[in-house]
Coordinates of all heavy atoms in Angstrom, one line a residue:
E9 N 142.4 28.6 63.0 CA 142.2 29.3 64.3 C 141.9 28.2 65.4 O 141.0 27.5 65.2 CB 141.1 30.4 64.3 CG 141.4 31.5 63.3 CD 140.3 32.5 63.3 OE1 139.4 32.4 64.1 OE2 140.4 33.5 62.5
L10 N 142.7 28.2 66.5 CA 142.6 27.2 67.5 C 142.2 27.7 68.8 O 142.7 28.8 69.2 CB 143.9 26.4 67.6 CG 144.4 25.7 66.3 CD1 145.6 25.0 66.6 CD2 143.3 24.8 65.8
Q11 N 141.3 27.0 69.5 CA 140.9 27.4 70.9 C 142.0 27.4 71.9 O 142.1 28.3 72.7 CB 139.8 26.5 71.4 CG 139.2 26.9 72.7 CD 138.6 28.3 72.7 OE1 137.8 28.6 71.8 NE2 139.0 29.1 73.6
C12 N 142.9 26.4 71.7 CA 144.0 26.3 72.7 C 145.0 27.5 72.6 O 145.5 28.0 73.6 CB 144.8 25.0 72.6 SG 145.7 24.8 71.1
I13 N 145.1 28.1 71.4 CA 146.0 29.3 71.2 C 145.2 30.5 71.8 O 145.8 31.3 72.5 CB 146.2 29.5 69.7 CG1 147.0 28.4 69.1 CG2 147.0 30.8 69.5 CD1 148.4 28.2 69.6
A14 N 143.9 30.5 71.7 CA 143.1 31.6 72.3 C 143.2 31.5 73.8 O 143.4 32.6 74.5 CB 141.6 31.5 71.9
D15 N 143.2 30.3 74.3 CA 143.3 30.2 75.8 C 144.7 30.6 76.3 O 144.8 31.2 77.4 CB 143.1 28.7 76.2 CG 141.7 28.2 75.9 OD1 140.8 29.1 75.8 OD2 141.5 27.0 75.9
V16 N 145.7 30.4 75.5 CA 147.1 30.8 75.9 C 147.2 32.3 75.9 O 147.6 32.9 76.9 CB 148.2 30.2 75.0 CG1 149.5 30.9 75.2 CG2 148.3 28.7 75.1
C17 N 146.7 33.0 74.8 CA 146.7 34.4 74.8 C 145.8 35.1 75.9 O 146.3 36.0 76.5 CB 146.2 34.9 73.4 SG 146.3 36.7 73.1
A18 N 144.6 34.5 76.1 CA 143.8 35.1 77.1 C 144.3 34.9 78.5 O 144.1 35.7 79.4 CB 142.4 34.4 77.0
T19 N 145.1 33.8 78.7 CA 145.7 33.6 80.0 C 146.9 34.4 80.3 O 147.1 35.0 81.3 CB 146.0 32.1 80.2 OG1 144.8 31.3 80.0 CG2 146.6 31.8 81.6
L20 N 147.8 34.5 79.3 CA 149.1 35.2 79.4 C 148.9 36.7 79.3 O 149.7 37.5 79.8 CB 150.1 34.7 78.4 CG 150.5 33.2 78.5 CD1 151.7 32.9 77.6 CD2 150.8 32.8 79.9
K21 N 147.9 37.2 78.5 CA 147.7 38.6 78.3 C 149.0 39.3 77.8 O 149.4 40.3 78.4 CB 147.2 39.3 79.5 CG 145.9 38.7 80.0 CD 145.4 39.3 81.3 CE 144.1 38.8 81.8 NZ 144.1 37.4 82.2
P22 N 149.6 38.9 76.7 CA 150.9 39.5 76.3 C 150.6 40.9 75.7 O 149.5 41.2 75.3 CB 151.3 38.6 75.1 CG 150.0 38.0 74.6 CD 149.1 37.8 75.8
R23 N 151.6 41.7 75.7 CA 151.5 43.0 75.1 C 151.4 42.9 73.6 O 150.7 43.6 72.9 CB 152.8 43.9 75.5 CG 152.9 44.2 77.0 CD 154.1 45.0 77.3 NE 154.4 45.2 78.7 CZ 154.1 46.2 79.4 NH1 153.4 47.2 78.8 NH2 154.3 46.3 80.7
Y24 N 152.2 41.9 73.0 CA 152.1 41.7 71.6 C 151.9 40.2 71.4 O 152.6 39.4 72.1 CB 153.4 42.1 70.9 CG 153.5 43.6 70.7 CD1 154.0 44.4 71.7 CD2 153.1 44.2 69.5 CE1 154.2 45.8 71.5 CE2 153.2 45.6 69.3 CZ 153.7 46.4 70.3 OH 153.8 47.7 70.1
H25 N 151.1 39.8 70.4 CA 151.0 38.4 70.0 C 151.2 38.4 68.5 O 150.4 38.9 67.7 CB 149.6 37.9 70.3 CG 149.3 36.5 69.9 ND1 148.2 35.8 70.3 CD2 150.1 35.6 69.3 CE1 148.3 34.5 69.8 NE2 149.4 34.4 69.2
F26 N 152.3 37.7 68.1 CA 152.7 37.6 66.7 C 152.4 36.2 66.2 O 152.7 35.2 66.8 CB 154.2 37.9 66.5 CG 154.5 39.4 66.6 CD1 155.0 39.9 67.8 CD2 154.3 40.3 65.6 CE1 155.4 41.2 67.9 CE2 154.6 41.6 65.7 CZ 155.1 42.1 66.9
S27 N 151.8 36.2 65.0 CA 151.6 34.9 64.3 C 152.0 35.1 62.8 O 152.4 36.2 62.4 CB 150.2 34.4 64.4 OG 150.1 33.1 64.0
R28 N 151.8 34.0 62.0 CA 152.2 34.1 60.6 C 151.1 33.6 59.7 O 150.2 32.9 60.1 CB 153.5 33.4 60.3 CG 153.7 32.0 61.0 CD 152.9 30.9 60.5 NE 152.9 30.7 59.1 CZ 152.0 30.0 58.5 NH1 151.0 29.4 59.1 NH2 152.1 29.8 57.2
S29 N 151.2 34.0 58.5 CA 150.3 33.4 57.4 C 151.1 33.4 56.1 O 152.1 34.1 56.0 CB 149.0 34.3 57.3 OG 149.3 35.6 57.0
D30 N 150.6 32.7 55.2 CA 151.4 32.6 53.9 C 151.5 33.9 53.2 O 152.5 34.3 52.7 CB 150.7 31.5 53.0 CG 150.9 30.1 53.6 OD1 151.9 29.9 54.4 OD2 150.0 29.2 53.4
G31 N 150.3 34.5 52.9 CA 150.4 35.7 52.1 C 149.6 36.9 52.7 O 149.5 37.9 52.0
A32 N 149.0 36.7 53.9 CA 148.1 37.8 54.4 C 148.8 38.5 55.6 O 149.5 37.9 56.4 CB 146.8 37.1 54.9
F33 N 148.6 39.8 55.6 CA 148.9 40.7 56.7 C 147.7 41.0 57.5 O 146.6 41.4 56.9 CB 149.6 41.9 56.3 CG 149.8 42.9 57.4 CD1 150.9 42.8 58.2 CD2 148.9 44.0 57.6 CE1 151.1 43.7 59.3 CE2 149.1 44.9 58.6 CZ 150.2 44.8 59.4
F34 N 147.7 40.9 58.8 CA 146.5 41.2 59.6 C 147.0 41.9 60.9 O 147.8 41.3 61.6 CB 145.7 40.0 59.9 CG 144.5 40.3 60.7 CD1 143.4 41.1 60.3 CD2 144.4 39.9 62.0 CE1 142.3 41.4 61.0 CE2 143.3 40.1 62.9 CZ 142.3 40.9 62.4
E35 N 146.5 43.1 61.1 CA 146.8 43.7 62.4 C 145.4 44.1 63.0 O 144.7 44.9 62.5 CB 147.7 45.0 62.3 CG 148.0 45.6 63.6 CD 149.0 46.7 63.5 OE1 149.4 47.1 62.3 OE2 149.4 47.3 64.5
R36 N 145.1 43.4 64.1 CA 143.8 43.7 64.8 C 143.9 44.9 65.6 O 145.0 45.3 66.1 CB 143.5 42.5 65.7 CG 142.1 42.5 66.2 CD 141.9 41.5 67.4 NE 140.5 41.4 67.7 CZ 139.8 42.3 68.4 NH1 140.4 43.4 68.8 NH2 138.5 42.1 68.7
E37 N 142.8 45.6 65.9 CA 142.7 46.7 66.8 C 143.2 46.1 68.2 O 142.9 45.0 68.5 CB 141.3 47.2 67.0 CG 140.7 47.8 65.8 CD 139.8 46.7 65.1 OE1 140.2 45.5 65.1 OE2 138.9 47.1 64.4
P38 N 144.0 46.9 68.9 CA 144.4 46.4 70.3 C 143.2 46.0 71.1 O 142.1 46.7 71.0 CB 145.1 47.6 70.9 CG 145.5 48.5 69.7 CD 144.4 48.3 68.7
F39 N 143.3 44.9 71.9 CA 142.1 44.6 72.7 C 142.6 44.5 74.2 O 143.7 44.1 74.5 CB 141.5 43.2 72.2 CG 142.4 42.1 72.1 CD1 142.7 41.3 73.2 CD2 143.0 41.7 70.9 CE1 143.5 40.2 73.1 CE2 143.8 40.6 70.8 CZ 144.1 39.8 71.9
F40 N 141.7 44.9 75.0 CA 142.0 44.9 76.5 C 141.4 43.7 77.2 O 140.3 43.2 76.8 CB 141.5 46.2 77.1 CG 140.1 46.5 77.0 CD1 139.2 46.0 78.0 CD2 139.6 47.3 76.0 CE1 137.8 46.3 77.9 CE2 138.2 47.5 75.8 CZ 137.3 47.0 76.8
H41 N 142.0 43.3 78.2 CA 141.5 42.2 79.1 C 140.9 42.8 80.3 O 141.3 43.9 80.8 CB 142.7 41.3 79.5 CG 143.5 40.8 78.3 ND1 143.2 39.6 77.7 CD2 144.5 41.3 77.6 CE1 144.0 39.3 76.7 NE2 144.8 40.4 76.6
M42 N 139.9 42.1 80.8 CA 139.1 42.6 82.0 C 140.1 42.7 83.2 O 140.9 41.8 83.4 CB 138.0 41.7 82.3 CG 136.8 41.8 81.3 SD 135.9 43.3 81.5 CE 136.4 44.2 80.1
P43 N 139.9 43.7 84.0 CA 140.7 43.8 85.2 C 140.4 42.6 86.1 O 139.3 42.0 86.1 CB 140.2 45.1 85.9 CG 139.7 45.9 84.7 CD 139.1 45.0 83.8
T44 N 141.4 42.2 86.9 CA 141.2 41.1 87.8 C 141.2 41.6 89.3 O 141.5 42.8 89.5 CB 142.3 40.1 87.6 OG1 143.6 40.7 88.0 CG2 142.3 39.6 86.2
E45 N 141.0 40.7 90.2 CA 141.0 41.1 91.6 C 142.4 41.5 92.0 O 142.6 42.4 92.8 CB 140.6 39.9 92.5 CG 139.2 39.5 92.4 CD 138.2 40.6 92.8 OE1 138.6 41.4 93.7 OE2 137.1 40.7 92.3
E46 N 143.5 40.9 91.4 CA 144.8 41.3 91.7 C 145.2 42.7 91.0 O 145.9 43.4 91.6 CB 145.8 40.2 91.1 CG 145.7 38.9 91.8 CD 144.5 38.1 91.4 OE1 144.0 38.3 90.3 OE2 144.1 37.2 92.1
D47 N 144.7 42.9 89.8 CA 144.9 44.2 89.1 C 143.6 44.9 88.9 O 143.1 44.8 87.8 CB 145.7 43.9 87.8 CG 147.0 43.3 88.1 OD1 147.8 43.8 88.9 OD2 147.3 42.2 87.4
Q48 N 143.0 45.5 89.9 CA 141.6 45.9 89.8 C 141.4 47.1 88.9 O 140.3 47.4 88.4 CB 141.1 46.2 91.2 CG 141.0 45.0 92.1 CD 140.2 45.3 93.4 OE1 139.8 46.4 93.7 NE2 140.0 44.2 94.1
N49 N 142.5 47.9 88.7 CA 142.3 49.1 87.8 C 143.3 49.1 86.7 O 143.8 50.1 86.3 CB 142.4 50.4 88.7 CG 141.8 51.6 88.0 OD1 140.9 51.5 87.3 ND2 142.4 52.8 88.2
V50 N 143.5 47.9 86.2 CA 144.5 47.7 85.1 C 143.8 47.0 83.9 O 143.2 46.0 84.1 CB 145.7 46.9 85.6 CG1 146.6 46.6 84.4 CG2 146.4 47.6 86.7

């Protein structure tokens, strides 16, 4: 797990973030990003 990947995801706020692993499946609960001044109720 890398901080720079976390920074990319937190900055881009994609609808889906896909990654891979050798033998493990993992689906996290959806997480929301804090509203910003530009998108105050989003």
Side-chain angles (χ1 to χ4, degrees):
E9 298 182 5
L10 300 182
Q11 184 60 50
C12 66
I13 301 291
D15 293 341
V16 170
C17 185
T19 301
L20 301 189
K21 302 177 177 63
R23 295 177 188 263
Y24 284 86
H25 181 174
F26 286 99
S27 190
R28 41 72 50 197
S29 56
D30 291 332
F33 171 83
F34 179 69
E35 181 172 8
R36 192 197 189 284
E37 300 93 329
F39 55 87
F40 59 88
H41 304 269
M42 287 290 105
T44 63
E45 292 297 332
E46 294 77 21
D47 299 307
Q48 292 191 357
N49 198 31
V50 173

